[in-house]
Amino acid sequence: MPRRRRAGLTMLLEIDALRGKPGGPFSLRLGAGDCVVISGPSGIGKSLLLRMIADLDENQGRVLLNGTSRDAMTAPQWRRQVMYVAAESGWWADHVHEHMQPIAEAKRLAPRLGLAEALLHAPVAQLSTGERQRLGLIRAIIRAPLVLLLDEPSSALDEESTLRMEALLRELTEAGMGLILVTHNEAQARRLATRRYQMCAGRLEEMSA
């Protein structure tokens, strides 16, 4: 059963008639503290939908953040506040710490996800897939976006690491961040979701609790 949605949530993200490669129109609302989970078969376009919301892929539609149109912001301004985190994030520098600002916040979060602080100074090439996945999430969180768009954030993690990550995500939503999460993990969807959608035939259908 989805987590109970708190009454009176402040509307954070509004998406109306969004269209693009995976179809549409897609419409949904995300309140501060909401975790919206999107499910559906592989290849149907869930990741592309997240990328459209982040304005990384071509799309048409109306998207508002705290009542301000995405069209009123530059692309970098929008993506700093509505941040997409891929299942396998890209790394543009050789060492982890070069991606982590502020580093003090990264040091605080690393043990929360079962990572040794020393990994923050490791070469990216020496990291396991699961380490890169968790560090990619930390890299996004420390930039303090208002909304995180998470694409299979625990696909490379074992159960213990997954539960650690979920605990951190719950804390972020309790603090008012909004999450849109794509996952194939049914148990994870039940644990985290305040609302759930199924993607099929170029549409989003809200699922009952």
Side-chain angles (χ1 to χ4, degrees):
M1 178 179 295
R3 291 165 52 200
R4 185 178 299 275
R5 191 170 190 246
R6 290 175 289 168
L9 289 179
T10 301
M11 191 54 59
L12 189 59
L13 189 70
E14 300 174 66
I15 299 167
D16 288 312
L18 191 67
R19 298 176 182 271
K21 187 175 180 180
F26 301 105
S27 296
L28 62 84
R29 302 289 184 270
L30 181 74
D34 247 348
C35 178
V36 168
V37 171
I38 299 175
S39 305
S42 297
I44 201 166
K46 301 183 300 297
S47 299
L48 291 174
L49 176 58
L50 295 188
R51 290 180 58 84
M52 285 165 50
I53 296 169
D55 207 21
L56 290 165
D57 287 355
E58 184 176 352
N59 65 93
Q60 301 84 40
R62 179 174 174 267
V63 187
L64 304 178
L65 179 67
N66 282 332
T68 299
S69 172
R70 184 176 64 182
D71 295 338
M73 305 182 197
T74 66
Q77 286 172 334
W78 179 262
R79 293 166 192 159
R80 280 195 297 269
Q81 297 178 87
V82 180
M83 190 172 293
Y84 172 67
V85 183
E88 179 61 53
S89 296
W91 300 84
W92 54 87
D94 291 337
H95 289 81
V96 174
H97 69 88
E98 297 176 81
H99 303 83
M100 299 290 181
Q101 294 297 329
I103 190 68
E105 183 66 4
K107 289 179 179 179
R108 184 185 72 83
L109 291 175
R112 295 288 312 278
L113 295 181
L115 296 168
E117 185 178 316
L119 284 176
L120 295 173
H121 298 278
V124 173
Q126 292 183 9
L127 301 175
S128 70
T129 302
E131 288 167 345
R132 289 196 304 273
Q133 192 163 55
R134 284 172 284 173
L135 287 165
L137 179 60
I138 289 173
R139 184 177 69 190
I141 291 171
I142 63 178
R143 286 166 168 77
L146 296 177
V147 176
L148 277 177
L149 309 173
L150 303 177
D151 192 357
E152 297 286 356
S154 61
S155 59
L157 305 185
D158 61 22
E159 183 176 5
E160 179 182 353
S161 297
T162 295
L163 294 175
R164 283 176 176 266
M165 182 208 69
E166 290 177 9
L168 180 56
L169 294 180
R170 277 191 291 270
E171 287 186 20
L172 293 173
T173 57
E174 287 297 322
M177 185 180 288
L179 304 180
I180 301 180
L181 170 67
V182 163
T183 182
H184 284 100
N185 186 328
E186 177 62 24
Q188 179 174 86
R190 290 196 302 268
R191 290 191 294 261
L192 290 180
T194 53
R195 281 181 298 127
R196 296 187 61 182
Y197 289 84
Q198 179 79 11
M199 190 171 181
C200 55
R203 295 288 191 275
L204 287 177
E205 297 180 0
E206 188 161 6
M207 300 168 63
S208 60

